[in-house]
Amino acid sequence: CFRSWNEYSAQKDFGSSDGGRLHLGLVPMPFVGDLLGATAYVLLLNPGLDPLDYYAEFGAADYRAALLANLSQSDPERGMLFLDPAFAFHSGYRYWHSRLTRVIQAIAVRVGKEYGEARQLVQRRLCAIEVYPYHSTSWQLPTRITSRLHSATLARSFVHDVVLPRAAAGDAV
């Protein structure tokens, strides 16, 4: 469990495959976005791992504050923080923005807005839910362990009890 960017980057085998080890020194990420205010949900397995995760969490106070605000849902207006240009340095921004660029462009055309305004619209309405909130380069935990993780039960319950009924009612996708 690394407690800083310096500690993480100083390991002798830095950059090599870590065998899917969970990085419990990073803030768990069970979701990103406004849980109840979103209208589009993406379900994922777990947050990946990039060296920038450690650098951002331990070296960029505004990023860590946004990450913690996301967990407490104390700033729902921010929405999907990985579409916020303030965090364009982070691999999460690269991941989400690259996958959503064409969607954002299409929305901009459809609603007659500039790209930035359409990006903000998507940012406020998108929520990603991770079944397992722990960072890793690959997910390799055996089912005998994952089946006992309470966080996974909570994620599945939220999808079943909140997201699916909203989708069935036409209030979310």
Side-chain angles (χ1 to χ4, degrees):
C1 184
F2 303 105
R3 290 174 173 62
S4 72
W5 161 251
N6 290 337
E7 187 178 325
Y8 176 66
S9 62
Q11 51 179 327
K12 285 189 263 185
D13 59 349
F14 178 79
S16 68
S17 173
D18 64 3
R21 176 178 63 179
L22 298 182
H23 287 257
L24 302 176
L26 294 169
V27 173
M29 197 176 297
F31 53 84
V32 181
D34 183 355
L35 268 175
L36 298 176
T39 55
Y41 294 87
V42 178
L43 309 177
L44 302 160
L45 185 62
N46 78 306
L49 179 76
D50 185 281
L52 279 175
D53 292 323
Y54 278 97
Y55 183 81
E57 282 197 32
F58 295 104
D62 55 340
Y63 171 77
R64 186 173 177 90
L67 195 58
L68 295 174
N70 173 71
L71 278 176
S72 67
Q73 294 287 276
S74 61
D75 186 12
E77 285 297 309
R78 181 180 296 269
M80 166 58 82
L81 67 95
F82 293 127
L83 288 177
D84 187 333
F87 306 122
F89 66 88
H90 192 275
S91 59
Y93 182 92
R94 221 173 25 254
Y95 176 89
W96 284 102
H97 190 261
S98 69
R99 284 160 175 78
L100 295 171
T101 298
R102 286 191 284 171
V103 171
I104 295 168
Q105 289 169 337
I107 290 172
V109 169
R110 186 171 189 177
V111 299
K113 302 282 185 182
E114 296 293 324
Y115 182 88
E117 292 174 289
R119 182 193 37 74
Q120 288 175 339
L121 181 69
V122 172
Q123 182 179 340
R124 285 191 305 272
R125 295 189 178 174
L126 178 65
C127 182
I129 298 173
E130 305 278 1
V131 175
Y132 306 106
Y134 312 105
H135 293 265
S136 67
T137 55
S138 62
W139 190 257
Q140 298 180 10
L141 283 183
T143 304
R144 65 181 166 74
I145 295 173
T146 60
S147 64
R148 296 190 329 238
L149 291 177
H150 187 59
S151 55
T153 302
L154 291 173
R156 288 184 184 104
S157 294
F158 182 78
V159 170
H160 182 268
D161 298 343
V162 177
V163 176
L164 292 178
R166 286 187 60 206
D171 295 330
V173 294

